[in-house]
Every structure is written in structure tokens, then in C-alpha cells.
Amino acid sequence: MPSEASLRLKLEKKAKLVGKTSRNSGGTKRNEGSFEAKNGNGGLIGKLKERVRVKVGGNGNDGSTGKLKKRVKFKGGEEGFGERRNVRTSDYSGRDGGRKKRIYSKEGEKLKTKDSEVVVESGKVLNGIAISKKKVSLKRGSDRKLKDEVAGMRSLTDGGRMWVRGKQRDNAGSEAKTLNRKATGKKESVVLATGKPKGKAKEDDYGSALLKKNREKKSELSKEKGLKIMSPLSSGKKKAKDKAGLEGEDDAETQDKKPKKKKRIIKIDPNDISNKRLDDAIGIDGSKEVKKKECEKEHQMSKNAQFRAIQPTPEILSFVEQNLLGRRRLIDLKRAGYNIELSAPLDNIPFSSSPERERIEENAFRNKLEFFAAAKASSSFPAHNLPEIAFAGRSNVGKSSLLNALTRQWGVVRTSDKPGLTQTINFFQLAKKLCLVDLPGYGFAYAKEEVKEAWEELVKEYVSTRVGLKRVCLLIDTKWGMKARDYELIELMERSKTKYQIVLTKTDTVFPIDVARRATQIEESLLQNKSVVQPLMMVSSKSGAGIRSLRTVLANIARFVKV
Ligand SMILES: Nc1nc2c(ncn2[C@@H]2O[C@H](COP(=O)(O)OP(=O)(O)OP(=O)(O)O)[C@@H](O)[C@H]2O)c(=O)[nH]1
Ligand SMILES: [Mg+2]
């Protein structure tokens, strides 16, 4: 019967195989068969299926003594098997013959045998064989063949690719090439690198059959998964190739087969108010507030940059220099002959000739400054029988101080570094010649909102309705410039056709160039205004700079005004 004949044939084949295996374990033949590799001391048998088993004779010529098996597990590379694979190798020590042992080697760990040492250098390699890793170093010359066996194992696990290291690279490499060529042919064969330059790997029926089977299985797998089987070792090189565009046709096909990732496009529904978008909400860390602050800072910076870009007119620059306006060192003033012990030293007129002094003494400001009325409401304003000059401006700008500086009568008008000291309209007269009016300030002040509003209303009423008001000195802090409330008052005075003159105060707090810049800036901003009186004045009640000039300008009002 044909079935009996085939059974008999199979039995005979098995019997043959058993005979060969026993010969190999004895170490008499070397590298015979694709799955057999032996060194001088022992045998190695590798089986590549889903698992690869390697037996290495640990000590002595009898390979049977070293039968301890280890299991090496590694994951297939990205383009590799795509599944876990097990590799079994024997323990190099060979002491615990026949007993299986699972060893997970770590990086740098040395696996010692009696005659050899295997060092795993890096990575996830879990055994001294280090199939998927870079370097396996072996010590002692006698174990060079073991190294070859390891290389042979690599060749197996690389799916037929030869991987030979060391001195035998050239020879073994050539062998590998030959055998690879064979493998690509119709008759598939698998070869172990023997490590012997002169030795030639021979095919074994059993081994080749196994490998063929294995290859078939792999190819089936790869077909199923649409992936090319590659070892983890070769995956790096493969990537490099991919980059260089050296991909073969097969690879290109494989790439084509890979499903392309679809880009997720998130559409925002403008009508959806269920969830606020990030832009609409204040971040948990207050990012919106931070952004706002940054914007403000940028704006501020740009404003400063704009201010620095102002080119002062030559007239203003010369005025600043002549009147020693701006921040000056007291030592310089002392050297120039000014008495810095006195208030407003620059108004001392130390080197003035007597006619000059007389002229100053003659004007209205030489007279005694007298307080005569205070008003909290328009109804309590005093009768207007003198030409009036009012001093308006933000709180703490230096209105009261300027009155003292102009008359050089310190202490008549109360001043304070606390904004909001003057809370009523205070009327002062200079010997029945001139009336000076100290107005409450507007803007920030230490007072209740309703009280401040009342002041503002009172000031607005005064400057727009007061009969006999000849000029309003609108005081602006040189450092800060014009603010919104200042423009508000200007608008009001423009409407009521009240004459006003801009006076920059506290010029001693900034550099001379900045005094000139501020003056130029304000003059330019008020070019269209009709009620503004030129020139713009610059003073410092502290240093006395510019006080004389202002005094002269204001004294002229009194001189030419007939009440
Ligand atoms: N450095 C400097 N400080 C000044 C100058 N003029 C006034 N001050 C100071 O500024 C502060 C406010 O001065 P005041 O004259 O009270 O200001 P104000 O405009 O009357 O203030 P309110 O009455 O609150 O509206 C005081 O501490 C003064 O010493 C000046 O020209 N230079
Ligand atoms: Mg005041």
C-alpha cells in the first residue's frame, strides 16, 4: 500500500536524522548542516521556528554535558516579525546540564562560562547571545568559535541574513554572500557562519527542511501582515535606507500598503456657545491677564520710545538752558554762585545788578500775599474786583507750592506731599493789584469719590463762568505729561474761551532734554487750540528755575489790566 510505503520512508528518514544528531553532539563534525555548529569544545544546535534553540557544549569535548538551555526573549523590530519570538540558547557555563534556566541579562552584564565570557553591551538583549544587539565580545582564544556560533545564530535570527563579526568577517562574509545568493534562488538554503575561514557550510537535509519551513512560515506571516520580515538589527539600517530613498520595489509596495493616517480636522462651530474657547476665557494661570499686562507694557514702552524720539525746537532748548531747567547737581549750582541754602536758589538772582532787582521788586509779586476767601461752592465766590490768575491742575502737581515760589513767601499757602490737601477754592491777593486763586486738584486724591467729583464740578464752574478771570495757569507735571482730565479741562476752557497757559512743574525731577521734549510734545498737541496762551512755561518751585520768567509774564497781566 502506498500509505505503508510512505510511513516506512518517513521512519527511515527519522532514523537517519537521529544518527546525524548523535554524531554532531559528539563534536566530531563541524558545522555540518544549517542548524548545527560546533566549536572545538562542544556542539551547537539551533532551531529556528517560532523558537530558536541553541545548544552549546560548555566544557570538554562532550557536547552533552552542556545542555542547560536559556530562553531569550526579544520583541521584533518595527519592521520585524511583529510578534514576540523566543530564542533558546544553552547556558555557556554548562554546569547545570540539562536544566532549563531563564536569564534576563542587563546592559553591561557579563555572562561567564568556564572558558568564555559574553558581555552584553546595551539594549534590551536578554541573553549573552545578544542576537538583536550591537556587540558580543568573547574572551579567550579557544572560544573564538563560540563567537562564530553566535554570529551564526544572528544569521539565523536575521531571517537568512549573515551577520559575522571579528576577524572572520571577510571570509565568513563571502560565505554569507554565497549562501544568501543561494537562498534567493529556487533552492533555498540556510547557512551558519562557521567562523572558520576555510571551512564551508554545508547543507543538511533536515536543517534545510526546517529552515525552508521556517521561511515559508515567515513569508506567510509577512504576506498576512503586509510587512517585510526584518530583524531588529537591520531595522536601523532599513530606516537609513528609507531616508536615502534607496528602497527597493518590494519595500515601496510595502509602504504603499501601509494605511495612511487621516488628519483630524477640528472644526469650530461659531454658533456653539456650550464651550468657551481658550481665547474667550481667562486661563487658569491668569494667562489673559498676563497677556493684557504685557500689551500694556508694550504700549507703555512704545510711548516712551515715541517720547524719546521727540526733537525739541531750538527755542525751547535755549530756554531750558538759559533758565537752568531740568535736573541739576546742587554742587554745580553752588559753583555758579547760587545760595543753595535758600528755597528755590535759582530765583535768588545773586549776580543781578540793582536795576534788575528793582524791576522785580516793582512788580505785583513783591507785595505781601494775603488769603482772603475760600469757596466750596460757586455761591461763595468773592466779588471780582481784581484781575484773577488761577492755578489749576491735577492733585499734587505743585499748585500751592508755585504760589509760594512766585511770591517767595513760603508757608502762606499750605502744601503737602499728600494729594488732595487743597479742597476749596482759595483766593489770595497781592496788595489790591492781583488776585491769585489756588484751585483744588483733580484726578487721584485721598478723598471720597463724591467729594472729588464735587471739587471737579466746582473747578469747571469756576474756570468757565468766573468773571474777572484773566488767565488759568494749567500746571502739568513734567515727568508725566498731559492726562485725560487735563484735556477735559482744556476742552472746557476752549468752549468757554477762558485764556489758559500751560506751566510745566517739577522740572528738577527730569533731565533738561526731557523738559524740552515734554514742552515740545505739549505745544504740538495744542497747536489747534485757540484759547491757549504762548509761550509754554517751565518751572521748578524747588530749585526756582523758570520762576522769574513766569513771574514776569504774570505781572504783565496785572500791569495792563484795568479793573
Ligand atoms: N521736586 C519738586 N517737588 C515739588 C515741586 N513743587 C511742589 N513739589 C512737591 O509736591 C508736593 C505737592 O505740592 P503741592 O503744592 O501741595 O501740590 P498741589 O498741587 O497744591 O496739591 P493739592 O493741593 O493736593 O492739589 C509737595 O510735597 C511739594 O514739596 C517742584 O517744583 N519740585
Ligand atoms: Mg494745593
Side-chain angles (χ1 to χ4, degrees):
M1 282 174 76
S3 57
E4 275 182 15
S6 63
L7 260 169
R8 209 170 285 152
L9 201 73
K10 276 181 185 175
L11 276 167
E12 277 171 14
K13 274 185 182 177
K14 274 187 182 177
K16 272 182 189 178
L17 278 169
V18 169
K20 276 182 184 179
T21 314
S22 63
R23 276 207 305 280
N24 289 335
S25 64
T28 50
K29 276 192 178 183
R30 284 180 183 181
N31 309 317
E32 195 169 300
S34 302
F35 290 92
E36 296 175 21
K38 292 183 285 178
N39 58 27
N41 299 323
L44 180 142
I45 297 170
K47 287 183 181 178
L48 181 64
K49 287 184 185 175
E50 280 299 302
R51 290 176 177 179
V52 179
R53 292 185 178 194
V54 181
K55 289 180 184 177
V56 179
N59 51 355
N61 294 323
D62 188 5
S64 61
T65 53
K67 284 179 183 173
L68 180 65
K69 291 172 186 173
K70 289 180 189 175
R71 179 170 288 178
V72 179
K73 286 187 179 179
F74 65 91
K75 282 183 180 180
E78 283 175 30
E79 298 165 47
F81 297 100
E83 60 184 33
R84 289 178 78 92
R85 297 185 65 83
N86 296 328
V87 175
R88 283 190 177 185
T89 64
S90 68
D91 190 352
Y92 290 99
S93 66
R95 276 175 223 155
D96 308 323
R99 191 157 60 87
K100 285 186 182 178
K101 196 177 176 184
R102 189 173 288 183
I103 297 170
Y104 298 95
S105 302
K106 288 176 187 174
E107 186 175 339
E109 191 177 320
K110 291 179 178 181
L111 296 176
K112 283 186 179 177
T113 70
K114 201 173 182 183
D115 299 315
S116 66
E117 185 178 276
V118 179
V119 181
V120 179
E121 287 214 333
S122 64
K124 300 167 189 172
V125 183
L126 303 173
N127 196 303
I129 296 293
I131 289 159
S132 64
K133 285 297 144 184
K134 292 173 184 174
K135 196 175 171 184
V136 177
S137 63
L138 300 171
K139 287 182 181 177
R140 295 196 186 184
S142 60
D143 284 332
R144 185 162 288 166
K145 285 157 194 174
L146 181 63
K147 188 179 171 184
D148 300 334
E149 288 166 0
V150 169
M153 277 304 301
R154 279 178 180 159
S155 74
L156 280 173
T157 51
D158 283 357
R161 288 178 183 233
M162 293 304 292
W163 196 270
V164 184
R165 288 178 58 88
K167 285 182 182 178
Q168 291 82 17
R169 182 178 285 173
D170 293 339
N171 300 316
S174 65
E175 272 185 22
K177 279 175 193 171
T178 320
L179 293 163
N180 271 337
R181 241 179 277 132
K182 281 181 187 174
T184 54
K186 282 183 182 176
K187 190 186 174 186
E188 287 200 344
S189 62
V190 178
V191 182
L192 261 176
T194 59
K196 271 246 169 187
K198 287 173 187 177
K200 200 175 181 181
K202 290 175 185 175
E203 292 178 24
D204 182 85
D205 291 343
Y206 175 72
S208 63
L210 262 174
L211 190 69
K212 200 175 176 181
K213 206 175 174 185
N214 184 49
R215 275 175 175 276
E216 280 168 7
K217 204 166 187 180
K218 274 188 204 172
S219 63
E220 275 171 27
L221 260 171
S222 64
K223 273 177 192 171
E224 275 174 29
K225 294 181 180 180
L227 293 167
K228 194 179 177 181
I229 295 169
M230 290 288 289
S231 74
L233 259 177
S234 59
S235 63
K237 284 189 177 181
K238 177 83 168 44
K239 278 177 190 171
K241 267 189 181 180
D242 289 351
K243 278 182 186 175
L246 299 170
E247 201 63 64
E249 279 180 21
D250 292 354
D251 296 333
E253 276 175 26
T254 316
Q255 277 188 348
D256 288 343
K257 283 175 188 173
K258 278 182 187 174
K260 284 180 183 176
K261 277 188 181 178
K262 281 185 181 177
K263 281 185 182 175
R264 276 186 70 191
I265 301 161
I266 301 164
K267 287 178 183 173
I268 297 167
D269 182 5
N271 301 317
D272 181 19
I273 51 162
S274 58
N275 282 315
K276 276 190 173 183
R277 274 176 280 166
L278 271 176
D279 291 356
D280 304 334
I282 296 168
I284 300 162
D285 54 346
S287 56
K288 182 103 178 182
E289 280 172 13
V290 171
K291 219 175 181 180
K292 206 177 171 185
K293 273 182 186 174
E294 278 175 5
C295 283
E296 276 173 14
K297 212 176 177 182
E298 266 179 34
H299 183 62
Q300 190 67 31
M301 276 170 74
S302 67
K303 265 178 99 178
N304 289 340
Q306 280 175 17
F307 180 71
R308 282 195 297 274
I310 293 170
Q311 292 289 327
T313 60
E315 296 83 44
I316 287 174
L317 277 173
S318 65
F319 185 86
V320 167
E321 275 312 302
Q322 276 174 18
N323 290 275
L324 292 172
L325 290 156
R327 191 184 292 173
R328 308 277 169 170
R329 292 199 306 164
L330 286 175
I331 190 84
D332 292 336
L333 299 180
K334 200 177 178 182
R335 276 185 201 142
Y338 293 102
N339 186 358
I340 56 165
E341 303 297 325
L342 296 169
S343 304
L346 286 172
D347 194 32
N348 283 336
I349 323 160
F351 303 112
S352 64
S353 60
S354 63
E356 262 182 313
R357 186 167 288 276
E358 271 174 24
R359 199 150 53 89
I360 294 162
E361 297 294 324
E362 273 175 16
N363 77 32
F365 287 93
R366 68 186 169 136
N367 298 299
K368 196 178 175 202
L369 184 72
E370 285 175 323
F371 167 79
F372 72 95
K376 271 191 174 179
S378 57
S379 55
S380 27
F381 289 163
H384 56 279
N385 48 11
L386 286 174
E388 280 181 20
I389 299 170
F391 295 85
R394 291 168 64 81
S395 298
N396 212 43
V397 77
K399 300 177 291 289
S400 305
S401 301
L402 185 58
L403 276 173
N404 287 331
L406 281 168
T407 56
R408 295 158 106 206
Q409 295 172 42
W410 316 106
V412 175
V413 188
R414 283 178 62 211
T415 64
S416 165
D417 55 357
K418 219 175 160 188
L421 180 74
T422 311
Q423 300 188 1
T424 53
I425 296 180
N426 298 327
F427 293 86
F428 298 86
Q429 60 181 13
L430 284 163
K432 305 276 180 194
K433 281 189 173 179
L434 197 65
C435 180
L436 303 178
V437 182
D438 187 14
L439 296 172
Y442 49 81
F444 175 78
Y446 290 101
K448 285 179 182 174
E449 279 301 314
E450 56 265 27
V451 175
K452 283 196 285 182
E453 279 172 20
W455 300 344
E456 277 187 43
E457 288 305 311
L458 190 66
V459 169
K460 281 177 181 173
E461 198 177 345
Y462 174 81
V463 296
S464 56
T465 60
R466 181 71 177 167
V467 182
L469 179 62
K470 302 300 168 195
R471 190 164 299 178
V472 174
C473 287
L474 180 56
L475 275 59
I476 306 289
D477 195 319
T478 312
K479 199 172 182 178
W480 305 114
M482 300 268 283
K483 299 287 177 185
R485 300 268 173 117
D486 299 318
Y487 284 113
E488 261 181 50
L489 195 67
I490 285 172
E491 256 184 55
L492 184 70
M493 289 188 287
E494 284 285 329
R495 266 186 271 141
S496 59
K497 294 183 180 171
T498 308
K499 295 279 176 195
Y500 62 92
Q501 192 165 15
I502 305 295
V503 179
L504 289 182
T505 60
K506 304 189 183 183
T507 55
D508 59 291
T509 57
V510 297
F511 290 109
I513 185 68
D514 288 335
V515 177
R517 280 174 179 153
R518 187 66 74 195
T520 310
Q521 186 193 42
I522 293 170
E523 268 193 355
E524 281 176 4
S525 71
L526 301 173
L527 274 175
Q528 306 299 320
N529 293 22
K530 289 174 182 168
S531 296
V532 66
V533 177
Q534 297 293 350
L536 183 146
M537 302 306 292
M538 292 161 262
V539 296
S540 167
S541 301
K542 200 175 180 182
S543 71
I547 295 290
R548 252 186 301 162
S549 302
L550 181 64
R551 191 186 287 134
T552 307
V553 166
L554 297 179
N556 283 337
I557 298 169
R559 196 180 293 172
F560 298 110
V561 170
K562 284 185 181 173
V563 185

